[in-house]
């Protein structure tokens, strides 16, 4: 089979041949062709030198399947061998992934059509960040915030990255990182949260763009359970959230944020702000859900968005 040639990694991989092999496996091949393609792709994934071809593959393919294959190879390296790689290889890959994300998310059309690919690149970037930041990539958060201010679509994607980062450090990292590493990442996020906080407030006060506002509320929700309380109660954040609550497009996300704040444990120190938030919220709620409304009936006839609202409210 011609694809045998792919095993020779002493020269740049034949991307056309790789595309054909990947397609034979995923889509077009007979049973025998799929089995043969599977063997070659597995061997490529297992070969410790394949990852050096990742940039060459990504630059020369337009096949989504091939892009994902290359990113799976890269993910394996980041997970198991990253710290053993030479610094220039790590920096090269870090910069390349960052650049591709910026290029694709700078332009509205490519950002929408390549959305799944950008999401996958975001995941890869966050995996790299978990190794490199803060010690070897001190400027990661400031760089991200600066990039976010250059265009609304880049900003929307930066919010997706920030949300992923919080989830990775706080929710999914058990078993993957040492407690010491998790603690170090949490401290760094706490120290640099002011930049993220300012960016979120800036977007929520200045943007008219629905997707961006939703992405920002979603990112905020991932941070509210653990950031220093001053960012919530000593800033315009609560007022801002309460402004968005009556707007149907943002209602559910805002309600999730407010629920997160309501479940925080902060003693009596912020009682005044808390009571104020609660009374404004109840007034707004009466305008949305009249007192005499039959909630079970409204739930059974509501749209999925309305049903989610009632669940969140409960």
């Amino acid at each position: 089979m011609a694809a045998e040639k792919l095993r020779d990694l002493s020269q740049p991989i034949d991307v056309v041949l790789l595309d054909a092999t990947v397609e034979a496996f995923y889509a077009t091949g007979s049973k025998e062709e799929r089995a043969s393609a599977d063997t070659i792709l597995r061997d490529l994934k297992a070969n410790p030198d394949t990852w050096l071809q990742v940039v060459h593959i990504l630059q020369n393919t337009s096949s989504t399947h091939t892009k994902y294959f290359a990113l799976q190879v890269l993910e394996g390296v980041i997970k198991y061998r990253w710290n053993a790689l030479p610094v220039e290889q790590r920096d090269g890959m870090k910069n390349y992934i960052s650049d591709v994300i910026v290029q694709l998310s700078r332009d509205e059309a490519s950002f929408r059509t390549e959305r799944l690919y950008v999401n996958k690149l975001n995941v890869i970037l966050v995996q790299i960040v978990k190794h490199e930041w803060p010690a070897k990539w001190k400027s990661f958060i400031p760089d991200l915030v600066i990039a976010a201010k250059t265009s609304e679509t880049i900003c929307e994607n930066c919010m997706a990255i920030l949300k992923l980062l919080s989830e990775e450090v706080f929710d999914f990292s058990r078993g993957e990182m040492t407690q010491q590493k998790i603690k170090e990442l949490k401290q760094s996020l706490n120290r640099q949260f002011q930049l993220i906080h300012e960016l979120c407030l800036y977007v929520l006060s200045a943007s008219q763009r629905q997707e961006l506002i939703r992405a920002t509320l979603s990112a905020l929700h991932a941070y509210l359970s653990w950031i220093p309380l001053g960012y919530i109660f000593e800033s315009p954040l609560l007022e801002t959230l309460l402004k968005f609550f009556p707007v149907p497009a943002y209602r559910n996300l805002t309600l999730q944020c407010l629920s997160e704040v309501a479940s925080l444990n902060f003693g009596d120190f912020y009682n005044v702000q808390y009571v104020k938030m609660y009374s404004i919220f109840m007034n707004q709620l009466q305008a949305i859900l009249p007192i005499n409304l039959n909630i079970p009936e409204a739930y059974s006839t509501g749209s999925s968005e309305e049903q989610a609202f009632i669940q969140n409210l409960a």
Side-chain angles (χ1 to χ4, degrees):
M1 186 178 169
E4 282 296 328
K5 187 181 149 202
L6 293 172
R7 294 182 197 276
D8 176 13
L9 296 176
S10 62
Q11 54 202 353
I13 206 162
D14 182 335
V15 176
V16 175
L17 189 55
L18 180 63
D19 282 344
T21 308
V22 170
E23 285 311 308
F25 175 69
Y26 279 109
T28 58
S30 65
K31 195 174 176 189
E32 291 75 22
E33 285 169 336
R34 285 186 66 176
S36 172
D38 182 36
T39 305
I40 286 173
L41 294 176
R42 278 175 193 272
D43 289 351
L44 279 174
K45 273 190 192 165
N47 188 319
D49 293 331
T50 305
W51 89 273
L52 295 167
Q53 304 264 2
V54 164
V55 172
H56 169 69
I57 296 168
L58 293 176
Q59 284 174 334
N60 291 285
T61 185
S62 50
S63 155
T64 306
H65 285 143
T66 304
K67 285 176 184 172
Y68 282 135
F69 169 75
L71 291 179
Q72 280 174 338
V73 169
L74 182 56
E75 214 163 3
V77 170
I78 295 167
K79 209 167 188 176
Y80 301 113
R81 291 172 39 219
W82 185 257
N83 290 331
L85 298 175
V87 172
E88 60 277 8
Q89 286 183 356
R90 293 193 309 226
D91 284 350
M93 187 50 73
K94 185 170 87 181
N95 294 336
Y96 175 74
I97 296 290
S98 304
D99 289 348
V100 176
I101 289 174
V102 168
Q103 281 164 16
L104 289 174
S105 56
R106 177 180 288 138
D107 171 67
E108 172 86 32
S110 68
F111 185 48
R112 299 291 165 222
T113 54
E114 298 273 8
R115 193 59 201 260
L116 289 171
Y117 180 42
V118 174
N119 287 348
K120 186 69 184 164
L121 288 167
N122 289 344
V123 170
I124 296 276
L125 183 69
V126 169
Q127 296 300 334
I128 293 175
V129 167
K130 277 160 60 177
H131 287 288
E132 296 285 287
W133 179 75
K136 302 180 202 113
W137 195 355
K138 286 190 171 57
S139 64
F140 170 66
I141 299 276
D143 290 349
L144 193 74
V145 169
I146 289 166
K149 291 180 177 170
T150 59
S151 99
E152 288 202 297
T153 41
I154 289 180
C155 189
E156 186 184 330
N157 195 54
C158 287
M159 291 300 176
I161 291 170
L162 286 168
K163 180 183 182 197
L164 260 181
L165 182 62
S166 179
E167 289 172 343
E168 278 291 315
V169 174
F170 290 87
D171 303 335
F172 309 141
S173 55
R174 294 168 195 76
E176 272 193 18
M177 293 190 283
T178 62
Q179 286 303 314
Q180 183 53 40
K181 180 66 182 169
I182 294 171
K183 189 177 165 195
E184 186 188 6
L185 290 178
K186 283 183 177 177
Q187 285 171 341
S188 298
L189 269 175
N190 258 338
R191 276 198 299 274
Q192 300 199 322
F193 188 73
Q194 185 171 354
L195 288 170
I196 301 171
H197 184 251
E198 284 167 4
L199 179 66
C200 291
L201 284 176
Y202 173 70
V203 168
L204 294 176
S205 64
S207 177
Q208 300 298 309
R209 189 189 172 87
Q210 194 175 62
E211 296 94 338
L212 174 54
I213 291 171
R214 288 177 65 89
T216 304
L217 290 169
S218 192
L220 257 178
H221 178 244
Y223 283 84
L224 284 171
S225 64
W226 58 266
I227 56 171
L229 293 173
Y231 285 119
I232 300 172
F233 293 105
E234 296 169 32
S235 81
L237 185 62
L238 282 180
E239 282 166 54
T240 307
L241 287 173
L242 288 164
K243 262 189 222 141
F244 282 101
F245 177 59
V247 184
Y250 310 127
R251 187 169 293 155
N252 274 327
L253 284 165
T254 309
L255 184 54
Q256 286 171 342
C257 290
L258 291 169
S259 302
E260 201 64 64
V261 173
S263 64
L264 291 171
N265 206 344
F266 45 79
D268 298 336
F269 193 70
Y270 291 113
N271 267 356
V272 174
Q273 292 89 325
Y274 192 83
V275 169
K276 187 177 165 194
M277 169 184 98
Y278 185 72
S279 48
I280 294 172
F281 174 79
M282 291 311 286
N283 281 333
Q284 289 176 336
L285 186 61
Q286 284 172 15
I288 298 165
L289 285 185
I291 299 255
N292 55 4
L293 182 75
N294 180 334
I295 289 185
E297 193 182 292
Y299 184 83
S300 61
T301 58
S303 66
S304 60
E305 192 81 353
E306 287 164 341
Q307 288 183 341
F309 174 69
I310 290 172
Q311 277 176 323
N312 285 333
L313 191 61

